PDB file of all heavy atoms in Angstrom:
ATOM      1  N   SER A1257     -16.710  12.479  -1.666  1.00  0.00           N
ATOM      2  CA  SER A1257     -17.904  11.729  -2.036  1.00  0.00           C
ATOM      3  C   SER A1257     -17.852  10.261  -1.593  1.00  0.00           C
ATOM      4  O   SER A1257     -18.889   9.590  -1.601  1.00  0.00           O
ATOM      5  CB  SER A1257     -18.119  11.803  -3.548  1.00  0.00           C
ATOM      6  OG  SER A1257     -17.012  11.249  -4.227  1.00  0.00           O
ATOM      7  N   VAL A1258     -16.689   9.776  -1.201  1.00  0.00           N
ATOM      8  CA  VAL A1258     -16.575   8.356  -0.828  1.00  0.00           C
ATOM      9  C   VAL A1258     -16.137   8.159   0.614  1.00  0.00           C
ATOM     10  O   VAL A1258     -16.171   7.031   1.121  1.00  0.00           O
ATOM     11  CB  VAL A1258     -15.599   7.608  -1.757  1.00  0.00           C
ATOM     12  CG1 VAL A1258     -15.978   7.807  -3.216  1.00  0.00           C
ATOM     13  CG2 VAL A1258     -14.149   8.029  -1.515  1.00  0.00           C
ATOM     14  N   ARG A1259     -15.727   9.226   1.263  1.00  0.00           N
ATOM     15  CA  ARG A1259     -15.219   9.105   2.639  1.00  0.00           C
ATOM     16  C   ARG A1259     -16.281   8.491   3.542  1.00  0.00           C
ATOM     17  O   ARG A1259     -17.441   8.909   3.525  1.00  0.00           O
ATOM     18  CB  ARG A1259     -14.787  10.470   3.157  1.00  0.00           C
ATOM     19  CG  ARG A1259     -14.029  10.405   4.484  1.00  0.00           C
ATOM     20  CD  ARG A1259     -13.539  11.782   4.912  1.00  0.00           C
ATOM     21  NE  ARG A1259     -12.527  12.290   3.984  1.00  0.00           N
ATOM     22  CZ  ARG A1259     -12.723  13.334   3.186  1.00  0.00           C
ATOM     23  NH1 ARG A1259     -13.883  13.971   3.192  1.00  0.00           N
ATOM     24  NH2 ARG A1259     -11.756  13.737   2.369  1.00  0.00           N
ATOM     25  N   GLY A1260     -15.880   7.499   4.307  1.00  0.00           N
ATOM     26  CA  GLY A1260     -16.800   6.816   5.207  1.00  0.00           C
ATOM     27  C   GLY A1260     -17.452   5.585   4.591  1.00  0.00           C
ATOM     28  O   GLY A1260     -18.029   4.764   5.299  1.00  0.00           O
ATOM     29  N   ARG A1261     -17.348   5.462   3.268  1.00  0.00           N
ATOM     30  CA  ARG A1261     -17.945   4.295   2.586  1.00  0.00           C
ATOM     31  C   ARG A1261     -16.875   3.411   1.945  1.00  0.00           C
ATOM     32  O   ARG A1261     -17.065   2.196   1.853  1.00  0.00           O
ATOM     33  CB  ARG A1261     -18.929   4.760   1.505  1.00  0.00           C
ATOM     34  CG  ARG A1261     -20.084   5.573   2.031  1.00  0.00           C
ATOM     35  CD  ARG A1261     -21.099   5.855   0.922  1.00  0.00           C
ATOM     36  NE  ARG A1261     -20.539   6.666  -0.150  1.00  0.00           N
ATOM     37  CZ  ARG A1261     -20.498   6.295  -1.435  1.00  0.00           C
ATOM     38  NH1 ARG A1261     -20.983   5.120  -1.809  1.00  0.00           N
ATOM     39  NH2 ARG A1261     -19.976   7.105  -2.347  1.00  0.00           N
ATOM     40  N   PHE A1262     -15.798   4.002   1.484  1.00  0.00           N
ATOM     41  CA  PHE A1262     -14.728   3.266   0.811  1.00  0.00           C
ATOM     42  C   PHE A1262     -13.515   3.186   1.730  1.00  0.00           C
ATOM     43  O   PHE A1262     -13.249   4.111   2.510  1.00  0.00           O
ATOM     44  CB  PHE A1262     -14.306   3.975  -0.478  1.00  0.00           C
ATOM     45  CG  PHE A1262     -15.331   3.948  -1.585  1.00  0.00           C
ATOM     46  CD1 PHE A1262     -16.633   3.510  -1.379  1.00  0.00           C
ATOM     47  CD2 PHE A1262     -14.973   4.376  -2.855  1.00  0.00           C
ATOM     48  CE1 PHE A1262     -17.554   3.496  -2.401  1.00  0.00           C
ATOM     49  CE2 PHE A1262     -15.892   4.358  -3.893  1.00  0.00           C
ATOM     50  CZ  PHE A1262     -17.178   3.931  -3.656  1.00  0.00           C
ATOM     51  N   THR A1263     -12.773   2.100   1.584  1.00  0.00           N
ATOM     52  CA  THR A1263     -11.542   1.912   2.355  1.00  0.00           C
ATOM     53  C   THR A1263     -10.442   1.404   1.433  1.00  0.00           C
ATOM     54  O   THR A1263     -10.634   0.394   0.735  1.00  0.00           O
ATOM     55  CB  THR A1263     -11.752   0.912   3.497  1.00  0.00           C
ATOM     56  OG1 THR A1263     -12.808   1.360   4.349  1.00  0.00           O
ATOM     57  CG2 THR A1263     -10.468   0.781   4.322  1.00  0.00           C
ATOM     58  N   ILE A1264      -9.317   2.091   1.440  1.00  0.00           N
ATOM     59  CA  ILE A1264      -8.165   1.652   0.660  1.00  0.00           C
ATOM     60  C   ILE A1264      -7.190   0.940   1.592  1.00  0.00           C
ATOM     61  O   ILE A1264      -7.005   1.348   2.744  1.00  0.00           O
ATOM     62  CB  ILE A1264      -7.493   2.843  -0.060  1.00  0.00           C
ATOM     63  CG1 ILE A1264      -6.438   2.339  -1.040  1.00  0.00           C
ATOM     64  CG2 ILE A1264      -6.932   3.853   0.930  1.00  0.00           C
ATOM     65  CD1 ILE A1264      -5.883   3.435  -1.960  1.00  0.00           C
ATOM     66  N   SER A1265      -6.598  -0.124   1.069  1.00  0.00           N
ATOM     67  CA  SER A1265      -5.606  -0.859   1.855  1.00  0.00           C
ATOM     68  C   SER A1265      -4.557  -1.423   0.910  1.00  0.00           C
ATOM     69  O   SER A1265      -4.728  -1.381  -0.316  1.00  0.00           O
ATOM     70  CB  SER A1265      -6.267  -1.971   2.665  1.00  0.00           C
ATOM     71  OG  SER A1265      -6.899  -2.905   1.796  1.00  0.00           O
ATOM     72  N   ARG A1266      -3.505  -1.970   1.510  1.00  0.00           N
ATOM     73  CA  ARG A1266      -2.372  -2.400   0.696  1.00  0.00           C
ATOM     74  C   ARG A1266      -1.762  -3.653   1.298  1.00  0.00           C
ATOM     75  O   ARG A1266      -1.595  -3.741   2.513  1.00  0.00           O
ATOM     76  CB  ARG A1266      -1.346  -1.280   0.671  1.00  0.00           C
ATOM     77  CG  ARG A1266      -0.186  -1.455  -0.248  1.00  0.00           C
ATOM     78  CD  ARG A1266       0.581  -0.143  -0.305  1.00  0.00           C
ATOM     79  NE  ARG A1266       1.556  -0.133  -1.361  1.00  0.00           N
ATOM     80  CZ  ARG A1266       2.139   0.971  -1.820  1.00  0.00           C
ATOM     81  NH1 ARG A1266       1.822   2.135  -1.306  1.00  0.00           N
ATOM     82  NH2 ARG A1266       3.022   0.887  -2.777  1.00  0.00           N
ATOM     83  N   ASP A1267      -1.454  -4.603   0.437  1.00  0.00           N
ATOM     84  CA  ASP A1267      -0.709  -5.798   0.845  1.00  0.00           C
ATOM     85  C   ASP A1267       0.649  -5.710   0.174  1.00  0.00           C
ATOM     86  O   ASP A1267       0.793  -5.989  -1.024  1.00  0.00           O
ATOM     87  CB  ASP A1267      -1.469  -7.059   0.411  1.00  0.00           C
ATOM     88  CG  ASP A1267      -0.812  -8.323   0.903  1.00  0.00           C
ATOM     89  OD1 ASP A1267       0.422  -8.336   1.132  1.00  0.00           O
ATOM     90  OD2 ASP A1267      -1.522  -9.328   1.053  1.00  0.00           O
ATOM     91  N   ASN A1268       1.645  -5.298   0.932  1.00  0.00           N
ATOM     92  CA  ASN A1268       2.965  -5.077   0.346  1.00  0.00           C
ATOM     93  C   ASN A1268       3.603  -6.381  -0.140  1.00  0.00           C
ATOM     94  O   ASN A1268       4.351  -6.378  -1.113  1.00  0.00           O
ATOM     95  CB  ASN A1268       3.876  -4.393   1.356  1.00  0.00           C
ATOM     96  CG  ASN A1268       3.432  -2.975   1.645  1.00  0.00           C
ATOM     97  OD1 ASN A1268       2.942  -2.280   0.764  1.00  0.00           O
ATOM     98  ND2 ASN A1268       3.600  -2.538   2.890  1.00  0.00           N
ATOM     99  N   ALA A1269       3.291  -7.477   0.522  1.00  0.00           N
ATOM    100  CA  ALA A1269       3.860  -8.762   0.111  1.00  0.00           C
ATOM    101  C   ALA A1269       3.363  -9.168  -1.272  1.00  0.00           C
ATOM    102  O   ALA A1269       4.074  -9.839  -2.025  1.00  0.00           O
ATOM    103  CB  ALA A1269       3.519  -9.836   1.137  1.00  0.00           C
ATOM    104  N   LYS A1270       2.144  -8.753  -1.595  1.00  0.00           N
ATOM    105  CA  LYS A1270       1.556  -9.096  -2.892  1.00  0.00           C
ATOM    106  C   LYS A1270       1.637  -7.944  -3.887  1.00  0.00           C
ATOM    107  O   LYS A1270       1.162  -8.065  -5.013  1.00  0.00           O
ATOM    108  CB  LYS A1270       0.096  -9.508  -2.713  1.00  0.00           C
ATOM    109  CG  LYS A1270      -0.089 -10.769  -1.892  1.00  0.00           C
ATOM    110  CD  LYS A1270      -1.565 -11.139  -1.791  1.00  0.00           C
ATOM    111  CE  LYS A1270      -1.756 -12.418  -0.996  1.00  0.00           C
ATOM    112  NZ  LYS A1270      -3.193 -12.788  -0.888  1.00  0.00           N
ATOM    113  N   ASN A1271       2.201  -6.811  -3.459  1.00  0.00           N
ATOM    114  CA  ASN A1271       2.255  -5.620  -4.323  1.00  0.00           C
ATOM    115  C   ASN A1271       0.883  -5.285  -4.884  1.00  0.00           C
ATOM    116  O   ASN A1271       0.714  -5.012  -6.078  1.00  0.00           O
ATOM    117  CB  ASN A1271       3.255  -5.829  -5.473  1.00  0.00           C
ATOM    118  CG  ASN A1271       4.686  -5.830  -4.989  1.00  0.00           C
ATOM    119  OD1 ASN A1271       5.045  -5.146  -4.041  1.00  0.00           O
ATOM    120  ND2 ASN A1271       5.516  -6.627  -5.630  1.00  0.00           N
ATOM    121  N   THR A1272      -0.098  -5.329  -4.010  1.00  0.00           N
ATOM    122  CA  THR A1272      -1.474  -5.135  -4.427  1.00  0.00           C
ATOM    123  C   THR A1272      -2.160  -4.105  -3.531  1.00  0.00           C
ATOM    124  O   THR A1272      -1.971  -4.119  -2.314  1.00  0.00           O
ATOM    125  CB  THR A1272      -2.249  -6.462  -4.382  1.00  0.00           C
ATOM    126  OG1 THR A1272      -1.635  -7.389  -5.289  1.00  0.00           O
ATOM    127  CG2 THR A1272      -3.704  -6.275  -4.793  1.00  0.00           C
ATOM    128  N   VAL A1273      -2.934  -3.249  -4.156  1.00  0.00           N
ATOM    129  CA  VAL A1273      -3.752  -2.276  -3.439  1.00  0.00           C
ATOM    130  C   VAL A1273      -5.218  -2.648  -3.654  1.00  0.00           C
ATOM    131  O   VAL A1273      -5.611  -3.073  -4.746  1.00  0.00           O
ATOM    132  CB  VAL A1273      -3.492  -0.848  -3.949  1.00  0.00           C
ATOM    133  CG1 VAL A1273      -4.529   0.115  -3.424  1.00  0.00           C
ATOM    134  CG2 VAL A1273      -2.115  -0.382  -3.534  1.00  0.00           C
ATOM    135  N   TYR A1274      -5.997  -2.481  -2.601  1.00  0.00           N
ATOM    136  CA  TYR A1274      -7.413  -2.819  -2.647  1.00  0.00           C
ATOM    137  C   TYR A1274      -8.265  -1.586  -2.379  1.00  0.00           C
ATOM    138  O   TYR A1274      -7.853  -0.672  -1.669  1.00  0.00           O
ATOM    139  CB  TYR A1274      -7.738  -3.877  -1.592  1.00  0.00           C
ATOM    140  CG  TYR A1274      -6.923  -5.132  -1.724  1.00  0.00           C
ATOM    141  CD1 TYR A1274      -5.776  -5.314  -0.949  1.00  0.00           C
ATOM    142  CD2 TYR A1274      -7.276  -6.129  -2.621  1.00  0.00           C
ATOM    143  CE1 TYR A1274      -5.018  -6.467  -1.065  1.00  0.00           C
ATOM    144  CE2 TYR A1274      -6.520  -7.286  -2.741  1.00  0.00           C
ATOM    145  CZ  TYR A1274      -5.386  -7.443  -1.970  1.00  0.00           C
ATOM    146  OH  TYR A1274      -4.640  -8.580  -2.087  1.00  0.00           O
ATOM    147  N   LEU A1275      -9.458  -1.600  -2.938  1.00  0.00           N
ATOM    148  CA  LEU A1275     -10.445  -0.575  -2.632  1.00  0.00           C
ATOM    149  C   LEU A1275     -11.739  -1.278  -2.270  1.00  0.00           C
ATOM    150  O   LEU A1275     -12.407  -1.839  -3.140  1.00  0.00           O
ATOM    151  CB  LEU A1275     -10.665   0.366  -3.820  1.00  0.00           C
ATOM    152  CG  LEU A1275     -11.601   1.544  -3.539  1.00  0.00           C
ATOM    153  CD1 LEU A1275     -10.930   2.513  -2.548  1.00  0.00           C
ATOM    154  CD2 LEU A1275     -11.955   2.273  -4.824  1.00  0.00           C
ATOM    155  N   GLN A1276     -12.053  -1.285  -0.981  1.00  0.00           N
ATOM    156  CA  GLN A1276     -13.307  -1.868  -0.512  1.00  0.00           C
ATOM    157  C   GLN A1276     -14.383  -0.792  -0.585  1.00  0.00           C
ATOM    158  O   GLN A1276     -14.250   0.265   0.033  1.00  0.00           O
ATOM    159  CB  GLN A1276     -13.159  -2.356   0.929  1.00  0.00           C
ATOM    160  CG  GLN A1276     -14.436  -2.938   1.522  1.00  0.00           C
ATOM    161  CD  GLN A1276     -14.869  -4.209   0.834  1.00  0.00           C
ATOM    162  OE1 GLN A1276     -14.054  -5.075   0.547  1.00  0.00           O
ATOM    163  NE2 GLN A1276     -16.163  -4.334   0.570  1.00  0.00           N
ATOM    164  N   MET A1277     -15.415  -1.083  -1.349  1.00  0.00           N
ATOM    165  CA  MET A1277     -16.483  -0.099  -1.577  1.00  0.00           C
ATOM    166  C   MET A1277     -17.782  -0.629  -0.995  1.00  0.00           C
ATOM    167  O   MET A1277     -18.295  -1.655  -1.440  1.00  0.00           O
ATOM    168  CB  MET A1277     -16.634   0.161  -3.080  1.00  0.00           C
ATOM    169  CG  MET A1277     -15.340   0.575  -3.761  1.00  0.00           C
ATOM    170  SD  MET A1277     -15.546   1.026  -5.493  1.00  0.00           S
ATOM    171  CE  MET A1277     -16.056  -0.543  -6.186  1.00  0.00           C
ATOM    172  N   ASN A1278     -18.276   0.064   0.016  1.00  0.00           N
ATOM    173  CA  ASN A1278     -19.521  -0.314   0.673  1.00  0.00           C
ATOM    174  C   ASN A1278     -20.583   0.750   0.451  1.00  0.00           C
ATOM    175  O   ASN A1278     -20.275   1.875   0.062  1.00  0.00           O
ATOM    176  CB  ASN A1278     -19.281  -0.515   2.175  1.00  0.00           C
ATOM    177  CG  ASN A1278     -18.303  -1.613   2.483  1.00  0.00           C
ATOM    178  OD1 ASN A1278     -18.199  -2.609   1.750  1.00  0.00           O
ATOM    179  ND2 ASN A1278     -17.558  -1.456   3.562  1.00  0.00           N
ATOM    180  N   SER A1279     -21.820   0.376   0.719  1.00  0.00           N
ATOM    181  CA  SER A1279     -22.947   1.313   0.579  1.00  0.00           C
ATOM    182  C   SER A1279     -22.910   2.026  -0.768  1.00  0.00           C
ATOM    183  O   SER A1279     -23.043   3.246  -0.845  1.00  0.00           O
ATOM    184  CB  SER A1279     -22.914   2.336   1.724  1.00  0.00           C
ATOM    185  OG  SER A1279     -22.966   1.691   2.976  1.00  0.00           O
ATOM    186  N   LEU A1280     -22.727   1.255  -1.810  1.00  0.00           N
ATOM    187  CA  LEU A1280     -22.582   1.835  -3.144  1.00  0.00           C
ATOM    188  C   LEU A1280     -23.857   2.533  -3.601  1.00  0.00           C
ATOM    189  O   LEU A1280     -24.976   2.106  -3.272  1.00  0.00           O
ATOM    190  CB  LEU A1280     -22.179   0.753  -4.139  1.00  0.00           C
ATOM    191  CG  LEU A1280     -20.705   0.357  -4.060  1.00  0.00           C
ATOM    192  CD1 LEU A1280     -20.458  -0.992  -4.709  1.00  0.00           C
ATOM    193  CD2 LEU A1280     -19.831   1.428  -4.702  1.00  0.00           C
ATOM    194  N   LYS A1281     -23.659   3.603  -4.345  1.00  0.00           N
ATOM    195  CA  LYS A1281     -24.747   4.422  -4.864  1.00  0.00           C
ATOM    196  C   LYS A1281     -24.673   4.445  -6.392  1.00  0.00           C
ATOM    197  O   LYS A1281     -23.583   4.268  -6.960  1.00  0.00           O
ATOM    198  CB  LYS A1281     -24.625   5.854  -4.338  1.00  0.00           C
ATOM    199  CG  LYS A1281     -24.561   5.971  -2.823  1.00  0.00           C
ATOM    200  CD  LYS A1281     -24.306   7.411  -2.418  1.00  0.00           C
ATOM    201  CE  LYS A1281     -24.207   7.544  -0.900  1.00  0.00           C
ATOM    202  NZ  LYS A1281     -23.936   8.961  -0.493  1.00  0.00           N
ATOM    203  N   PRO A1282     -25.769   4.714  -7.058  1.00  0.00           N
ATOM    204  CA  PRO A1282     -25.723   4.809  -8.522  1.00  0.00           C
ATOM    205  C   PRO A1282     -24.697   5.827  -9.008  1.00  0.00           C
ATOM    206  O   PRO A1282     -24.076   5.630 -10.060  1.00  0.00           O
ATOM    207  CB  PRO A1282     -27.146   5.227  -8.881  1.00  0.00           C
ATOM    208  CG  PRO A1282     -27.994   4.639  -7.803  1.00  0.00           C
ATOM    209  CD  PRO A1282     -27.161   4.763  -6.558  1.00  0.00           C
ATOM    210  N   GLU A1283     -24.485   6.866  -8.253  1.00  0.00           N
ATOM    211  CA  GLU A1283     -23.512   7.892  -8.652  1.00  0.00           C
ATOM    212  C   GLU A1283     -22.064   7.422  -8.509  1.00  0.00           C
ATOM    213  O   GLU A1283     -21.140   8.131  -8.919  1.00  0.00           O
ATOM    214  CB  GLU A1283     -23.725   9.194  -7.873  1.00  0.00           C
ATOM    215  CG  GLU A1283     -23.806   9.032  -6.379  1.00  0.00           C
ATOM    216  CD  GLU A1283     -25.241   8.963  -5.885  1.00  0.00           C
ATOM    217  OE1 GLU A1283     -26.068   8.257  -6.510  1.00  0.00           O
ATOM    218  OE2 GLU A1283     -25.535   9.600  -4.848  1.00  0.00           O
ATOM    219  N   ASP A1284     -21.848   6.251  -7.963  1.00  0.00           N
ATOM    220  CA  ASP A1284     -20.511   5.663  -7.925  1.00  0.00           C
ATOM    221  C   ASP A1284     -20.168   4.959  -9.235  1.00  0.00           C
ATOM    222  O   ASP A1284     -19.033   4.505  -9.428  1.00  0.00           O
ATOM    223  CB  ASP A1284     -20.384   4.655  -6.782  1.00  0.00           C
ATOM    224  CG  ASP A1284     -20.481   5.311  -5.417  1.00  0.00           C
ATOM    225  OD1 ASP A1284     -19.889   6.383  -5.226  1.00  0.00           O
ATOM    226  OD2 ASP A1284     -21.157   4.736  -4.537  1.00  0.00           O
ATOM    227  N   THR A1285     -21.139   4.858 -10.126  1.00  0.00           N
ATOM    228  CA  THR A1285     -20.902   4.220 -11.423  1.00  0.00           C
ATOM    229  C   THR A1285     -19.841   4.974 -12.206  1.00  0.00           C
ATOM    230  O   THR A1285     -19.950   6.186 -12.420  1.00  0.00           O
ATOM    231  CB  THR A1285     -22.209   4.167 -12.232  1.00  0.00           C
ATOM    232  OG1 THR A1285     -23.144   3.323 -11.556  1.00  0.00           O
ATOM    233  CG2 THR A1285     -21.959   3.635 -13.633  1.00  0.00           C
ATOM    234  N   ALA A1286     -18.803   4.258 -12.611  1.00  0.00           N
ATOM    235  CA  ALA A1286     -17.676   4.880 -13.310  1.00  0.00           C
ATOM    236  C   ALA A1286     -16.672   3.793 -13.689  1.00  0.00           C
ATOM    237  O   ALA A1286     -16.786   2.645 -13.233  1.00  0.00           O
ATOM    238  CB  ALA A1286     -16.997   5.915 -12.425  1.00  0.00           C
ATOM    239  N   VAL A1287     -15.699   4.189 -14.480  1.00  0.00           N
ATOM    240  CA  VAL A1287     -14.516   3.363 -14.673  1.00  0.00           C
ATOM    241  C   VAL A1287     -13.516   3.766 -13.587  1.00  0.00           C
ATOM    242  O   VAL A1287     -13.218   4.956 -13.420  1.00  0.00           O
ATOM    243  CB  VAL A1287     -13.896   3.549 -16.060  1.00  0.00           C
ATOM    244  CG1 VAL A1287     -12.627   2.709 -16.187  1.00  0.00           C
ATOM    245  CG2 VAL A1287     -14.900   3.158 -17.137  1.00  0.00           C
ATOM    246  N   TYR A1288     -13.035   2.782 -12.861  1.00  0.00           N
ATOM    247  CA  TYR A1288     -12.099   3.031 -11.768  1.00  0.00           C
ATOM    248  C   TYR A1288     -10.685   2.688 -12.228  1.00  0.00           C
ATOM    249  O   TYR A1288     -10.440   1.591 -12.731  1.00  0.00           O
ATOM    250  CB  TYR A1288     -12.479   2.198 -10.552  1.00  0.00           C
ATOM    251  CG  TYR A1288     -13.672   2.757  -9.813  1.00  0.00           C
ATOM    252  CD1 TYR A1288     -14.946   2.728 -10.373  1.00  0.00           C
ATOM    253  CD2 TYR A1288     -13.525   3.350  -8.558  1.00  0.00           C
ATOM    254  CE1 TYR A1288     -16.034   3.269  -9.706  1.00  0.00           C
ATOM    255  CE2 TYR A1288     -14.608   3.884  -7.877  1.00  0.00           C
ATOM    256  CZ  TYR A1288     -15.858   3.841  -8.467  1.00  0.00           C
ATOM    257  OH  TYR A1288     -16.941   4.380  -7.798  1.00  0.00           O
ATOM    258  N   TYR A1289      -9.788   3.660 -12.026  1.00  0.00           N
ATOM    259  CA  TYR A1289      -8.406   3.512 -12.459  1.00  0.00           C
ATOM    260  C   TYR A1289      -7.477   3.493 -11.256  1.00  0.00           C
ATOM    261  O   TYR A1289      -7.549   4.371 -10.384  1.00  0.00           O
ATOM    262  CB  TYR A1289      -7.997   4.679 -13.363  1.00  0.00           C
ATOM    263  CG  TYR A1289      -8.753   4.759 -14.661  1.00  0.00           C
ATOM    264  CD1 TYR A1289      -9.906   5.536 -14.767  1.00  0.00           C
ATOM    265  CD2 TYR A1289      -8.317   4.073 -15.789  1.00  0.00           C
ATOM    266  CE1 TYR A1289     -10.605   5.618 -15.963  1.00  0.00           C
ATOM    267  CE2 TYR A1289      -9.007   4.145 -16.981  1.00  0.00           C
ATOM    268  CZ  TYR A1289     -10.151   4.916 -17.057  1.00  0.00           C
ATOM    269  OH  TYR A1289     -10.836   5.000 -18.248  1.00  0.00           O
ATOM    270  N   CYS A1290      -6.599   2.534 -11.252  1.00  0.00           N
ATOM    271  CA  CYS A1290      -5.546   2.471 -10.253  1.00  0.00           C
ATOM    272  C   CYS A1290      -4.351   3.271 -10.749  1.00  0.00           C
ATOM    273  O   CYS A1290      -4.090   3.317 -11.962  1.00  0.00           O
ATOM    274  CB  CYS A1290      -5.156   1.007 -10.043  1.00  0.00           C
ATOM    275  SG  CYS A1290      -3.723   0.730  -8.998  1.00  0.00           S
ATOM    276  N   TYR A1291      -3.640   3.899  -9.837  1.00  0.00           N
ATOM    277  CA  TYR A1291      -2.412   4.591 -10.229  1.00  0.00           C
ATOM    278  C   TYR A1291      -1.328   4.329  -9.200  1.00  0.00           C
ATOM    279  O   TYR A1291      -1.591   4.002  -8.043  1.00  0.00           O
ATOM    280  CB  TYR A1291      -2.649   6.094 -10.399  1.00  0.00           C
ATOM    281  CG  TYR A1291      -2.693   6.868  -9.098  1.00  0.00           C
ATOM    282  CD1 TYR A1291      -1.526   7.474  -8.598  1.00  0.00           C
ATOM    283  CD2 TYR A1291      -3.863   6.991  -8.373  1.00  0.00           C
ATOM    284  CE1 TYR A1291      -1.553   8.170  -7.403  1.00  0.00           C
ATOM    285  CE2 TYR A1291      -3.895   7.691  -7.177  1.00  0.00           C
ATOM    286  CZ  TYR A1291      -2.739   8.283  -6.698  1.00  0.00           C
ATOM    287  OH  TYR A1291      -2.764   8.973  -5.507  1.00  0.00           O
ATOM    288  N   ALA A1292      -0.111   4.522  -9.649  1.00  0.00           N
ATOM    289  CA  ALA A1292       1.058   4.468  -8.775  1.00  0.00           C
ATOM    290  C   ALA A1292       1.945   5.656  -9.121  1.00  0.00           C
ATOM    291  O   ALA A1292       2.092   5.995 -10.295  1.00  0.00           O
ATOM    292  CB  ALA A1292       1.803   3.162  -8.952  1.00  0.00           C
ATOM    293  N   ARG A1293       2.515   6.257  -8.084  1.00  0.00           N
ATOM    294  CA  ARG A1293       3.357   7.431  -8.303  1.00  0.00           C
ATOM    295  C   ARG A1293       4.812   7.043  -8.133  1.00  0.00           C
ATOM    296  O   ARG A1293       5.227   6.551  -7.062  1.00  0.00           O
ATOM    297  CB  ARG A1293       2.993   8.557  -7.355  1.00  0.00           C
ATOM    298  CG  ARG A1293       3.694   9.870  -7.698  1.00  0.00           C
ATOM    299  CD  ARG A1293       2.938  11.055  -7.172  1.00  0.00           C
ATOM    300  NE  ARG A1293       3.581  12.313  -7.522  1.00  0.00           N
ATOM    301  CZ  ARG A1293       3.360  12.948  -8.670  1.00  0.00           C
ATOM    302  NH1 ARG A1293       2.533  12.445  -9.557  1.00  0.00           N
ATOM    303  NH2 ARG A1293       3.963  14.098  -8.920  1.00  0.00           N
ATOM    304  N   LEU A1294       5.585   7.269  -9.176  1.00  0.00           N
ATOM    305  CA  LEU A1294       6.997   6.869  -9.185  1.00  0.00           C
ATOM    306  C   LEU A1294       7.789   7.954  -9.855  1.00  0.00           C
ATOM    307  O   LEU A1294       7.490   8.331 -10.992  1.00  0.00           O
ATOM    308  CB  LEU A1294       7.131   5.538  -9.947  1.00  0.00           C
ATOM    309  CG  LEU A1294       8.517   4.951 -10.120  1.00  0.00           C
ATOM    310  CD1 LEU A1294       9.063   4.513  -8.761  1.00  0.00           C
ATOM    311  CD2 LEU A1294       8.479   3.757 -11.070  1.00  0.00           C
TER     312      LEU A1294
END
Side-chain angles (χ1 to χ4, degrees):
S1257 60
V1258 307
R1259 190 176 294 112
R1261 299 187 297 122
F1262 291 10
T1263 302
I1264 189 171
S1265 61
R1266 187 170 191 164
D1267 185 334
N1268 292 325
K1270 296 182 179 180
N1271 289 327
T1272 299
V1273 168
Y1274 303 97
L1275 185 68
Q1276 178 66 43
M1277 306 185 295
N1278 298 328
S1279 302
L1280 283 161
K1281 305 174 181 179
E1283 51 263 44
D1284 294 318
T1285 295
V1287 178
Y1288 284 69
Y1289 296 93
C1290 172
Y1291 79 94
R1293 189 156 181 87
L1294 178 67

